[in-house]
Amino acid sequence: MRCNPAFLPISAEDLRLLEAFRTGTRSVEAGRPVIEEDRPSPQLYTIYSGWAFRYKTLSDGRRQILGFLLPGDFMGLQDEFADSHTHGVEAVTDVTLCTFARERLWELFHAQPKLGYHITWLAAREEKMVDDNLVTAGRRNAAERVAMLLMHLYRRAERVGMARDGWVQFPFNQQHIADALGLSLVHTNKTLRRLQQLRLYKLDAGWLRILEPHALQALGDYFERPLQPTPLI
């Protein structure tokens, strides 16, 4: 991942400091929790490989997916500033994670302000994505929501080197999409079929290809500026 141009280069000294902060690695099978919603987590994580999502569940079982996570994403920071556990994280595919001790976070900020700034940058980027999700849920119609999500996930996966001959792994089912966009499962199904009939995208055996990126971007009002290289924690 350090060789990927999507991420900022890291000096040998910074790498040594991160290695000292790291406590190990962890593997989680698809469908299993990375962070349980009702339990505090003593660890912070960076995803090495695979897909996951953050979610919140209401008392009646309804689930809202707050965001999707892929390699390079840093997770678990929100709970550092909350009185109770704020969300859960579930693996969609098998994932590999780098683990850090939450209790050493202040030590890292105090001793290594540059790395602390990188963590702050990652938190601000996630806040921007939450803002975008709020606009989607509050103002976009169903077709615009689906178009926005497909483009957003495709571009993020492409950016971190997950594209293969124009296809990216897309392990999400219609329930995932409905829970992320605040749509009913029936409405999600109809909207996906309509956009596929227009030949804007193609799904095949868990892989996504965008056939008409300009049309899908226009429909979803998705015109993301090129992102700066991302710190890799």
Side-chain angles (χ1 to χ4, degrees), residues 46-89:
T46 293
I47 296 187
Y48 277 161
S49 64
W51 284 91
F53 63 86
R54 295 195 308 115
Y55 68 94
K56 187 72 176 176
T57 307
L58 298 180
S59 58
D60 62 2
R62 287 176 294 167
R63 180 181 69 180
Q64 177 67 47
I65 289 180
L66 306 171
F68 294 96
L69 303 162
L70 67 166
D73 286 344
F74 188 68
M75 70 177 80
L77 189 63
Q78 294 89 343
D79 292 331
E80 184 69 20
F81 307 100
D83 294 330
S84 61
H85 207 63
T86 58
H87 65 270
V89 175

Side-chain angles (χ1 to χ4, degrees), residues 11 17 21 42 48 54-55 62 71 80 95 99 113 115 119 127 132-133 135 138 143 150 153 169 193 212:
S11 68
L17 293 169
F21 180 45
Y48 277 161
R54 295 195 308 115
Y55 68 94
R62 287 176 294 167
E80 184 69 20
V95 298
T99 62
L115 295 179
I119 292 176
E127 181 181 4
D132 291 341
N133 292 342
V135 173
L150 292 176
L153 294 179
Q169 185 184 26
R193 282 195 288 111
E212 295 290 346

Side-chain angles (χ1 to χ4, degrees), residues 25-30 32-34 49 91 94-99:
T25 60
R26 178 185 172 195
S27 297
V28 179
E29 295 180 352
R32 303 294 298 170
V34 176
S49 64
D94 293 348
V95 298
T96 306
L97 306 142
C98 176
T99 62

Side-chain angles (χ1 to χ4, degrees), residues 186-197:
V186 171
H187 205 168
T188 298
N189 177 273
K190 290 180 178 179
T191 304
L192 284 166
R193 282 195 288 111
R194 184 162 69 250
L195 297 185
Q196 193 160 25
Q197 288 166 358

Side-chain angles (χ1 to χ4, degrees), residues 3-209:
C3 298
N4 191 317
F7 301 105
L8 287 172
I10 186 169
S11 68
E13 175 64 14
D14 286 344
L15 181 59
R16 184 186 64 79
L17 293 169
L18 280 176
E19 289 289 341
F21 180 45
R22 188 179 75 165
T23 58
T25 60
R26 178 185 172 195
S27 297
V28 179
E29 295 180 352
R32 303 294 298 170
V34 176
I35 297 175
E36 296 194 44
E37 191 174 13
D38 57 350
R39 296 182 183 178
S41 172
Q43 295 175 314
L44 305 170
Y45 300 98
T46 293
I47 296 187
Y48 277 161
S49 64
W51 284 91
F53 63 86
R54 295 195 308 115
Y55 68 94
K56 187 72 176 176
T57 307
L58 298 180
S59 58
D60 62 2
R62 287 176 294 167
R63 180 181 69 180
Q64 177 67 47
I65 289 180
L66 306 171
F68 294 96
L69 303 162
L70 67 166
D73 286 344
F74 188 68
M75 70 177 80
L77 189 63
Q78 294 89 343
D79 292 331
E80 184 69 20
F81 307 100
D83 294 330
S84 61
H85 207 63
T86 58
H87 65 270
V89 175
E90 182 178 309
V92 185
T93 65
D94 293 348
V95 298
T96 306
L97 306 142
C98 176
T99 62
F100 305 96
R102 178 187 301 279
E103 63 184 12
R104 295 187 61 198
L105 184 62
W106 171 242
E107 174 190 336
L108 178 69
F109 271 75
H110 186 264
Q112 301 298 330
K114 179 181 177 182
L115 295 179
Y117 175 80
H118 284 171
I119 292 176
T120 303
W121 193 98
L122 291 170
R125 184 189 67 154
E126 185 166 345
E127 181 181 4
K128 178 189 177 300
M129 287 192 282
V130 171
D131 289 347
D132 291 341
N133 292 342
L134 180 59
V135 173
T136 294
R139 291 301 176 187
R140 289 184 169 97
N141 63 34
E144 292 167 344
R145 293 183 198 189
V146 172
M148 169 67 178
L149 183 65
L150 292 176
M151 285 305 310
H152 175 69
L153 294 179
Y154 184 91
R155 292 300 186 207
R156 287 185 65 200
E158 181 183 49
R159 180 173 178 269
V160 297
M162 297 174 72
R164 300 290 183 271
D165 298 322
W167 296 81
V168 299
Q169 185 184 26
F170 195 82
F172 311 108
N173 58 37
Q174 292 186 11
Q175 189 65 62
H176 289 123
I177 296 173
D179 288 350
L181 298 178
L183 298 171
S184 70
L185 194 56
V186 171
H187 205 168
T188 298
N189 177 273
K190 290 180 178 179
T191 304
L192 284 166
R193 282 195 288 111
R194 184 162 69 250
L195 297 185
Q196 193 160 25
Q197 288 166 358
L198 292 172
R199 294 190 56 78
L200 299 183
Y201 77 96
K202 184 176 182 180
L203 276 174
D204 185 12
W207 289 80
L208 169 68
R209 185 182 185 95

